[in-house]
Amino acid sequence: MGLFDALFRSSEVLGIAEETLEFALESSAETHPNEYMGFLRGTEASALGLERDGLVITDVLVVPGTETNSVSATVRTNMIPNDVKALGSIHSHPNGVVRPSDADLETFGRGSVHVIIGAPYQRSDWRAFDSQGKPTQLNVLEVELPDAEEFFDFTQADIDEDLQWE
């Protein structure tokens, strides 16, 4: 995708892929009693076979160097990629409370949707919020995600073409 396409793609978030939500729930359980933290990335709905304009949350990006404990997660901001696909954040609350804390609200400015997952990390133990911390609807969508191996399927010519646009 070229820079022009990235700047003008639809910004409406249609929902989160079921497989992505399951990944986040499992990751939250695995890091318990510490918090889990990541950034949400999306894919154009049309690339997933949906006949709608908008984005589907398909990936969770865990930033290297993120430090977590039972009450907080600290992301090294210098490690956050400047990514046009970033849609918001996702993190867990080991205490089970699925509403944003004051500290959460301070981080909600980047992106349009933020997900909090609470212990015991079951399918019903999460909520989505907008950038102001107000609850928002986030549909769980059954879509087939692209093969992870495709992410690494590029050639030197592809890299050269991308660099030409910078």
Side-chain angles (χ1 to χ4, degrees):
M1 170 187 309
L3 179 59
F4 183 81
D5 294 328
L7 290 173
F8 292 99
R9 60 195 234 162
S10 171
S11 61
E12 180 187 5
V13 177
L14 302 176
I16 185 169
E18 183 173 28
E19 189 176 324
T20 304
L21 177 60
E22 292 299 325
F23 169 82
L25 290 167
E26 290 170 12
S27 297
S28 296
E30 288 174 11
T31 59
H32 188 85
N34 291 334
E35 282 198 5
Y36 168 78
M37 173 71 183
F39 290 94
L40 301 171
R41 298 176 66 189
T43 301
E44 289 285 348
S46 60
L48 299 171
L50 298 177
E51 295 181 11
R52 292 190 58 196
D53 289 334
L55 298 167
V56 176
I57 297 167
T58 53
D59 299 292
V60 176
L61 174 66
V62 178
V63 177
T66 298
E67 297 177 9
T68 64
N69 59 46
S70 62
V71 294
S72 70
T74 304
V75 175
R76 295 175 62 188
T77 56
N78 63 324
M79 299 295 286
I80 300 172
N82 185 11
D83 187 351
V84 293
K85 293 183 184 178
L87 302 176
S89 65
I90 189 165
H91 75 280
S92 66
H93 282 178
N95 64 6
V97 176
V98 288
R99 66 177 178 272
S101 66
D102 290 341
D104 292 337
L105 294 173
E106 290 179 24
T107 66
F108 279 10
R110 182 177 179 151
S112 61
V113 63
H114 303 274
V115 175
I116 297 176
I117 302 170
Y121 315 112
Q122 300 301 308
R123 181 64 182 261
S124 61
D125 297 324
W126 67 279
R127 299 288 178 270
F129 301 89
D130 66 16
S131 61
Q132 303 300 310
K134 295 177 184 161
T136 188
Q137 179 71 30
L138 185 64
N139 296 317
V140 178
L141 304 173
E142 291 185 37
V143 294
E144 188 170 329
L145 298 181
D147 185 6
E149 293 297 318
E150 291 178 19
F151 179 80
F152 297 103
D153 187 23
F154 56 88
T155 65
Q156 184 62 45
D158 296 327
I159 296 169
D160 292 342
E161 182 179 342
D162 283 347
L163 290 174
Q164 181 180 6
W165 287 102
E166 290 183 7

